[in-house]
Amino acid sequence: MKKRRQAKILELISNNEIETQEELQELLLSYGFEVTQATISRDIKELRLVKDLSSKGRYIYSTGKKRKDNISSRAGGIFNESIVSIDYAMNMIVIKCFAGMANAACAAIDSMEHNEILGTIAGDDTIFMLCRTEETAKEFTNTLRKILDA
């Protein structure tokens, strides 16, 4: 339950401008997660969320500055615990995840800001990634596998 809740938190902060823990609590409740403020506070700490200035001048929750080499710690281990398999064909990568975890894993991947990745799409349990070249797909697949094996 904790992993699914934290995955939902990452999804919510990436799709919404959330200023307070109370707003986050209300959104989580609308998705069936009944949690206390203390639980949300612990989740925020474990996920290493920070408050960044939004384009509207408000401070909102975010994952903070993205670094390519720090994906697993930044996402609180969600990435490592979400992925079932990774493979590529031509310039596309397909990542299979546990049910309900693809959005959080995809958010972690997107935060890597890899210039050779044209885009990602996440469903409930699958992520599709489009790369510029087949070589990029192969290299990025190997990079993700190394992160999972670490």
Side-chain angles (χ1 to χ4, degrees):
M1 184 68 163
K2 178 180 176 180
K3 291 177 190 172
R4 290 182 65 109
R5 181 182 67 245
Q6 288 184 345
K8 182 54 80 174
I9 289 171
L10 289 174
E11 178 186 341
L12 289 171
I13 67 165
S14 69
N15 296 326
N16 301 282
E17 292 194 353
I18 300 172
E19 291 183 67
T20 65
Q21 291 182 9
E22 291 79 18
E23 286 178 54
L24 184 55
Q25 186 176 23
E26 288 174 20
L27 282 170
L28 286 169
L29 184 60
S30 71
Y31 285 94
F33 294 95
E34 286 190 44
V35 294
T36 65
Q37 182 274 329
T39 299
I40 290 173
S41 182
R42 281 190 298 274
D43 286 342
I44 288 170
K45 183 177 180 180
E46 287 177 21
L47 293 169
R48 298 181 181 176
L49 300 182
V50 296
K51 285 214 168 175
D52 281 336
L53 191 61
S54 74
S55 59
K56 297 178 183 174
R58 301 177 358 214
Y59 284 95
I60 59 171
Y61 284 106
S62 78
T63 57
K65 182 70 179 148
K66 283 46 170 191
R67 290 184 44 180
K68 293 179 185 178
D69 62 344
N70 199 19
I71 186 171
S72 58
S73 64
R74 188 182 61 254
I78 288 176
F79 177 78
N80 288 339
E81 297 173 16
S82 301
I83 306 301
V84 175
S85 67
I86 304 170
D87 209 347
Y88 75 97
M90 309 263 310
N91 65 329
M92 291 185 14
I93 301 172
V94 177
I95 302 172
K96 295 289 189 175
C97 302
F98 292 108
M101 300 300 288
N103 279 312
C106 191
I109 292 167
D110 286 343
S111 73
M112 295 175 80
E113 298 177 352
H114 197 287
N115 292 334
E116 296 296 310
I117 304 299
L118 296 174
T120 60
I121 297 176
D124 184 56
D125 63 355
T126 305
I127 301 169
F128 285 100
M129 298 174 62
L130 182 62
C131 301
R132 291 190 188 277
T133 66
E134 184 173 353
E135 184 62 28
T136 299
K138 180 180 178 181
E139 289 173 7
F140 200 74
T141 297
N142 290 333
T143 298
L144 294 177
R145 285 180 178 154
K146 286 177 187 172
I147 292 170
L148 289 175
D149 291 338

